[in-house]
Amino acid sequence: GNSVTQMEGPVTLSEEAFLTINCTYTATGYPSLFWYVQYPGEGLQLLLKATKADDKGSNKGFEATYRKETTSFHLEKGSVQVSDSAVYFCALTPNTNAGKSTFGDGTTLTVKP
Amino acid sequence: DAGITQSPRHKVTETGTPVTLRCHQTENHRYMYWYRQDPGHGLRLIHYSYGVKDTDKGEVSDGYSVSRSKTEDFLLTLESATSSQTSVYFCAISDQTDTQYFGPGTRLTVL
């Protein structure tokens, strides 16, 4: 079956530091890939996505590139802010069945001033 | 923000009692999902629906049933709640673009 493996947390950074959260996946075919973010007490919300190989998703200074050759979708941000503190989830949806999404376990990011 | 509401938002119940959680959407999206979120396990899919009266199991469906009699409503039922079903439950919806939009969650405690 499909699987998503995320870098284990928690991750603690100082403000303006560079962020990388690793994500690798196992799936047949060409799934769509997503990063979702969850703030305390809320549901998940889409951060960015990519639907085919070599696509780059970007939003709010975050970026991730769909790498088919390494089955990866690592999340990066050049300069984090305190407001970026949240839990980040990598996920995939098969192109053959939108109902069967798979999520990683989540990575908790804390940014200190 | 996508129009998704969940009710109740918090519930405390006793082992062995039936519990029904409701998800309501105003977006007319085809797909609806129920997930549970537990520490160390991320989000795990319980059941999903791809249309009215069309549902399928996810990876952790044992002990749960669902129903979708209208496009806008997706019900999750715990026939006989157990302590292992204490969790935060999220409903989500999606259209053809695969992006899922999540509700605010229901915190369920089974004593």
Side-chain angles (χ1 to χ4, degrees), chain A residues 27-43:
Chain A
T28 55
Y30 298 90
S32 295
L33 302 176
F34 303 82
W35 277 101
Y36 289 88
V37 60
Q38 183 180 34
Y39 298 102
E42 298 182 8

Side-chain angles (χ1 to χ4, degrees), chain B residues 95-111:
Chain B
D95 57 12
Q96 299 301 322
T97 66
D98 300 342
T99 299
Q100 294 186 37
Y101 301 93
F102 286 80
T106 294
R107 183 173 296 276
L108 176 67
T109 302
V110 183
L111 301 176

Side-chain angles (χ1 to χ4, degrees), chain A:
Chain A
N2 299 332
S3 67
V4 174
T5 303
Q6 276 183 242
M7 168 179 169
E8 288 189 18
V11 175
T12 302
L13 297 173
S14 297
E15 205 165 24
E16 299 184 3
F18 184 85
L19 169 70
T20 298
I21 301 178
N22 290 337
C23 172
T24 57
Y25 68 91
T26 302
T28 55
Y30 298 90
S32 295
L33 302 176
F34 303 82
W35 277 101
Y36 289 88
V37 60
Q38 183 180 34
Y39 298 102
E42 298 182 8
L44 281 68
Q45 55 186 274
L46 178 69
L47 180 59
L48 53 84
K49 71 176 185 180
T51 58
K52 60 182 187 294
D54 300 324
D55 269 2
K56 177 185 285 187
S58 61
N59 186 26
K60 300 180 182 178
F62 291 90
E63 294 183 339
T65 301
Y66 190 142
R67 300 290 188 195
K68 183 67 175 176
E69 65 276 13
T70 55
T71 61
S72 64
F73 193 54
H74 304 321
L75 182 68
E76 297 182 336
K77 186 175 185 182
S79 177
V80 294
Q81 306 300 313
V82 172
S83 57
D84 294 327
S85 298
V87 182
Y88 292 82
F89 291 89
C90 185
L92 69 82
T93 298
N95 58 2
T96 54
N97 187 343
K100 292 284 191 178
S101 296
T102 301
F103 286 76
D105 288 346
T107 301
T108 300
L109 171 66
T110 301
V111 180
K112 296 188 174 180

Side-chain angles (χ1 to χ4, degrees), chain B residues 66-102:
Chain B
V66 290
S67 67
R68 191 171 180 197
S69 59
K70 297 184 290 184
T71 299
E72 57 267 33
D73 289 325
F74 193 33
L75 303 180
L76 177 70
T77 297
L78 290 65
E79 301 290 348
S80 178
T82 67
S83 59
S84 65
Q85 293 176 312
T86 292
S87 186
V88 180
Y89 291 85
F90 286 101
C91 175
I93 64 175
S94 71
D95 57 12
Q96 299 301 322
T97 66
D98 300 342
T99 299
Q100 294 186 37
Y101 301 93
F102 286 80

